Amino acid sequence: MADDGGVVKRLKTAEGGQDGVVTAEEAAQLRRRIVELESEIEQLRRRGQGEGDHEVLPVVTEVNVTVSTAVDLSRVTTGIVTHITSFLGKPRELLNLALTCKSFGWRQPVSTLNWSLVEEVSRQAVCSRATDNEMGCLPQYVRGATTWLSILHRHEHLLVFDVLLGGYIEHPNGDKTAVCSTGDDGGYCLSVAVPMPGLDTGAYQEEDFSFIGDDDLYAVFLAQRSDDWGDSNVHECDFSCEEGTLSFTAWEENATDEISNYDWDGMEPCQSGDTVGMLLNFNEGTLTVYRNNRRLGVLKDGLSGPYCWYVNLLKRSADAVSIKRGTHPNSDGATSV
């Protein structure tokens, strides 16, 4: 190879199959780059030796200084894939992953897991995020009936009005965190009631509906009773926003454990635009009411078992209520509506 005017001539096959010319400066740059790559490879090799006896993933350096990396997929264990998948964290994203192939969405018989990769990630997400009280409100995992993915979806949508009863209530623009009245008179209450998953909700879409005061429906409600309700005779309890009064019932005809529009210590009526906070304490069995972050007092005690939030709108088109999670003074948390 001869030097001709500072240019090094060498036979080189280019992409188009033509001979090319490499200058001395370009050759020097290539040599420096090769030295840099060799140094990086040596650093990686030493780092791998320092972390254990694991071999460094092979790196192949070709003459044209193109670097390619080969990865042994057998080293990617289920634990690693689970950890990576956990960064998705959303039910919709995990569902899309489960639908891509059986490796993600189908139970692995050779795995120590009793469910699929997506199910394991969903289980971990629920257990790490949900409080003890929230876990008590979520459906239980039952193979073939309830999946961890559906439980995770339910956990992310705990505070919604997912059932509409009566003919004068609807979700504004399809938003299940809010309800509005389509009638023209009345008021509204913010309330809790024991869950009744077997209730035929479709039977009450064309009429007025109330959990209290309608003796004809009490037998229907009590037919839904389960051991989860506990020993309390308070199956429904509501706070009247218009008057600030208390109502509750045991859903028994001529029951002594029934109060309507009762005055209680701390009662205050609310106005349009107010935020009503309701803190349900499962340990003490109490329901505490706040108005605009100011504690009014304990609305009702003696509660046991699970309860569901509900709002009662009485035929007034101006009525609209939304529900969201909130934090109130001197408490760990509450649900605001």
Side-chain angles (χ1 to χ4, degrees), residues 232 280-287 298 300-305 307:
S232 175
L280 183 60
N281 189 316
F282 289 96
N283 294 325
E284 298 181 4
T286 58
L287 180 62
V298 175
K300 191 70 182 78
D301 57 11
L303 307 178
S304 68
Y307 288 88

Side-chain angles (χ1 to χ4, degrees), residues 105-109 111-117 119-120 123 139-151:
W106 194 257
R107 185 171 66 90
Q108 302 298 311
S111 172
T112 56
L113 302 177
N114 291 323
W115 37 68
S116 68
L117 170 68
E119 280 288 87
E120 172 61 14
R123 184 192 68 81
Q140 298 297 312
Y141 171 79
V142 179
R143 182 182 299 281
T146 304
T147 65
W148 280 108
L149 186 60
S150 66
I151 297 173

Side-chain angles (χ1 to χ4, degrees), residues 48-245:
Q49 293 173 351
E51 294 177 354
D53 295 331
H54 306 291
E55 294 181 3
V56 178
L57 295 179
V59 178
V60 179
T61 305
E62 298 180 354
V63 177
N64 60 1
V65 203
T66 299
V67 179
S68 62
T69 303
V71 179
D72 182 4
L73 292 180
S74 64
R75 301 188 182 189
V76 183
T77 64
T78 301
I80 294 176
V81 177
T82 302
H83 180 69
I84 295 173
T85 308
S86 67
F87 288 99
L88 297 177
K90 295 291 184 180
R92 175 61 62 180
E93 296 173 342
L94 290 172
L95 176 60
N96 290 336
L97 179 64
L99 295 175
T100 59
C101 65
K102 288 185 177 181
S103 297
F104 297 143
W106 194 257
R107 185 171 66 90
Q108 302 298 311
V110 298
S111 172
T112 56
L113 302 177
N114 291 323
W115 37 68
S116 68
L117 170 68
V118 167
E119 280 288 87
E120 172 61 14
V121 173
S122 300
R123 184 192 68 81
Q124 292 182 10
V126 172
C127 295
S128 64
R129 300 174 191 175
T131 64
D132 291 341
N133 289 339
E134 289 174 341
M135 289 294 287
C137 298
L138 293 171
Q140 298 297 312
Y141 171 79
V142 179
R143 182 182 299 281
T146 304
T147 65
W148 280 108
L149 186 60
S150 66
I151 297 173
L152 176 60
H153 180 268
R154 179 59 180 163
H155 173 255
E156 293 195 349
H157 300 85
L158 282 176
L159 299 182
V160 294
F161 300 117
D162 54 352
V163 177
L164 300 182
L165 298 173
Y168 303 96
I169 190 171
E170 66 182 13
H171 295 302
N173 301 318
D175 180 9
K176 289 191 175 184
T177 65
V179 289
C180 62
S181 173
T182 60
D184 56 10
D185 66 321
Y188 63 94
C189 303
L190 303 171
S191 324
V192 295
V194 291
M196 295 178 288
L199 189 67
D200 181 12
T201 58
Y204 311 102
Q205 300 301 315
E206 303 298 331
E207 58 183 74
D208 294 342
F209 182 89
S210 176
F211 279 122
I212 189 169
D214 193 341
D215 294 354
D216 295 337
L217 296 178
Y218 285 177
V220 177
F221 298 157
L222 288 177
Q224 300 292 317
R225 182 160 192 158
S226 65
D227 294 339
D228 293 339
W229 288 20
D231 299 328
S232 175
N233 288 325
V234 180
H235 305 323
E236 183 275 352
C237 176
D238 66 45
F239 168 73
S240 172
C241 292
E242 272 202 328
E243 301 172 355
T245 55

